[in-house]
Amino acid sequence: MRTPFIAGNWKMHKTVGEAVSLAEALAPRVDGLAGVEVAVAPPFTALAATGKALAGSAVRLAAQTMHEAAQGAYTGEVSTAMLRDVGCTYVILGHSERRQLFGETDQGVGRKARAALAAGLAPIVCVGETLAEREAGETLAVVERQTRAAVTGLPADAWGTVVLAYEPVWAIGTGRVATTAQAQEVHAHLRAVLTAVGGEAAAGATRILYGGSVKPDNVRDLMAQPDVDGALVGGASLDAETFASIARFRV
Ligand code: PGA
């Protein structure tokens, strides 16, 4: 009932030409894969060209962040209409790098999620604890707080559209992946939080991705966990064959 979802977050990598090459190499490797949805999130400057390169492909386009206002005097920001205009289906929100380096708050991420949905974009809301929070035993409380702020008050038809991504901060870009048990524990808790907020059907329809050092050799075990519905992939999404082999986790 929840289609597995593999999304690549290119972060601040790839010029327009590099992004187009990567998209052109990726599409034939993943198009036709049954039962998995694939998306890539290039930097803003490469969204339009990547979207064109992916025309006719099943690979979806995602942005890495957005501003919640429809338009206006927000120098440096990009609106939902601008993202829709270049063909985005998804937008990553509240990535830990945005929270840690750019001051994004739980409430701000919630506002963005509601604005994205209202504009017809599907938010991929990232949550996750730092190493200090994990060591202090605060993991479940932290991800619950972040999740509640993002999904409380969502319209009923948002469930199944909004995507959650659990990304332990200590696992991002470190090569240190969460164990399958650590991932499943948090994902099951998030599912329970979604049930408490939106009810059982809502929680059952909502995909929860794992992110943090996902690679071709660990994706299968992660995807075998009952509450892991996909992966948000950073470093390993920058190479077409590596990312494609993650998307082929079933094969
Ligand atoms: P990583 O990044 O796969 O390079 O650890 C994941 C992410 O930040 O989304």
Side-chain angles (χ1 to χ4, degrees):
M1 127 188 225
R2 297 186 296 269
T3 303
F5 185 25
I6 307 291
N9 175 9
W10 295 357
K11 306 192 180 181
M12 198 172 74
H13 297 284
K14 306 293 179 187
T15 61
V16 171
E18 291 165 348
V20 167
S21 298
L22 177 51
E24 286 173 350
L26 178 64
R29 286 175 162 85
V30 297
D31 278 341
L33 275 182
V36 59
E37 186 179 1
V38 177
V40 294
F44 285 141
T45 50
L47 278 173
T50 304
K52 282 203 186 99
L54 291 173
S57 157
V59 178
R60 311 282 192 135
L61 196 63
Q64 298 177 15
T65 184
M66 50 164 259
H67 195 277
E68 69 267 31
Q71 60 186 347
Y74 300 102
T75 301
E77 295 292 325
V78 170
S79 73
T80 53
M82 294 168 187
L83 298 181
R84 288 286 307 255
D85 186 42
V86 293
C88 287
T89 302
Y90 290 99
V91 57
I92 298 170
L93 296 178
H95 188 281
S96 66
E97 288 149 18
R98 302 287 325 162
R99 293 177 190 261
Q100 295 201 315
L101 304 174
F102 302 100
E104 295 210 11
T105 63
D106 293 345
Q107 284 63 37
V109 173
R111 283 195 300 276
K112 289 186 181 196
R114 285 183 280 280
L117 284 161
L121 285 167
I124 302 172
V125 176
C126 302
V127 302
E129 82 287 3
T130 63
L131 187 58
E133 288 164 340
R134 174 161 284 269
E135 286 173 345
E138 295 166 358
T139 297
L140 299 183
V142 167
V143 298
E144 176 163 351
R145 187 198 73 222
Q146 293 170 330
T147 301
R148 282 183 180 273
V151 301
T152 299
L154 289 189
D157 62 0
W159 302 103
T161 299
V162 64
V163 177
L164 271 190
Y166 168 55
E167 299 205 306
V169 177
W170 46 271
I172 294 176
T174 59
R176 190 175 158 196
V177 65
T179 66
T180 52
Q182 284 172 326
Q184 172 56 27
E185 182 196 20
V186 175
H187 282 234
H189 185 68
L190 292 177
R191 189 86 59 204
V193 171
L194 294 176
T195 305
V197 174
E200 210 161 309
T206 301
R207 293 177 293 185
I208 308 176
L209 316 183
Y210 168 82
S213 297
V214 175
K215 304 280 185 274
D217 63 2
N218 59 30
V219 66
R220 264 177 211 86
D221 288 345
L222 288 161
M223 291 301 291
Q225 302 306 306
D227 287 297
V228 176
D229 305 313
L232 183 53
V233 184
S237 72
L238 297 174
D239 175 78
E241 184 47 39
T242 306
F243 185 58
S245 61
I246 291 173
R248 288 194 298 258
F249 67 92
R250 269 215 199 85
V251 181

